[in-house]
Amino acid sequence: MLQLSIFLENAQGRLADALNTLADLQVNIRALSLADTKDYGVLRIIVENPEEVAEKLRERNCVVKITQVWVLKVPDSPGGLAGQLNKLVAEGVNVEYMYGFVEKENEQAQVVLRVRDAEIMQAAMDKLALK
């Protein structure tokens, strides 16, 4: 799956501006995370048609990067995420960052994972039959 990372100046109203732009483009955000540093923030989002949305954002002078991520379904119970991560770690997966969300339709807990090595992650997903 592809994730959009939108780079934002840490200034009052900048996040609202970005979200208003996405609203103007009729983009439905499925998952998001906002990380910040002293001067900049990174808004990471999962959307339908990420490449098309990225192009439209660039046309509006937004700095956007497309990144490969995995969305992993996890049991919505205590220890559910830990159990899934333990399986991935045993396969050599190194998680760089993650954020979670609940799928509205099925109320399914899910996490978005960015990993260091895509090939190791794909092999682990295939071997463990994870979704």
Side-chain angles (χ1 to χ4, degrees):
M1 178 169 285
L2 297 177
Q3 166 194 269
L4 299 182
S5 297
I6 304 168
F7 298 89
L8 306 171
E9 181 184 359
N10 269 353
Q12 183 174 1
R14 191 65 186 108
L15 175 60
D17 289 344
L19 294 175
N20 287 330
T21 298
L22 291 166
D24 289 345
L25 294 171
Q26 298 294 303
V27 174
N28 189 19
I29 300 170
R30 308 300 299 171
L32 71 84
S33 168
L34 178 65
D36 70 324
T37 63
K38 182 180 176 189
D39 297 321
Y40 290 92
V42 180
L43 176 63
R44 295 179 174 120
I45 59 174
I46 302 294
V47 300
E48 297 281 331
N49 305 314
E51 292 170 331
E52 179 182 322
V53 172
E55 185 58 35
K56 289 179 179 177
L57 289 171
R58 288 183 185 113
E59 290 171 2
R60 293 180 179 216
N61 298 318
C62 294
V63 179
V64 180
K65 180 180 174 186
I66 295 177
T67 306
Q68 182 180 14
V69 294
W70 277 261
V71 176
L72 180 66
K73 293 180 181 177
V74 298
D76 190 12
S77 60
L81 176 58
Q84 297 294 62
L85 282 179
N86 288 336
K87 293 175 187 175
L88 293 173
V89 168
E91 295 299 320
V93 173
N94 187 350
V95 176
E96 292 183 347
Y97 63 81
M98 64 187 295
Y99 51 96
F101 66 99
V102 174
E103 180 187 6
K104 183 171 54 175
E105 215 168 276
N106 300 318
E107 295 190 15
Q108 173 71 50
Q110 299 183 54
V111 292
V112 177
L113 298 167
R114 169 73 177 161
V115 299
R116 183 161 296 161
D117 189 313
E119 290 181 22
I120 292 173
M121 179 63 175
Q122 189 59 58
M125 295 287 287
D126 294 343
K127 179 179 178 183
L128 300 169
L130 297 176
K131 297 180 183 179

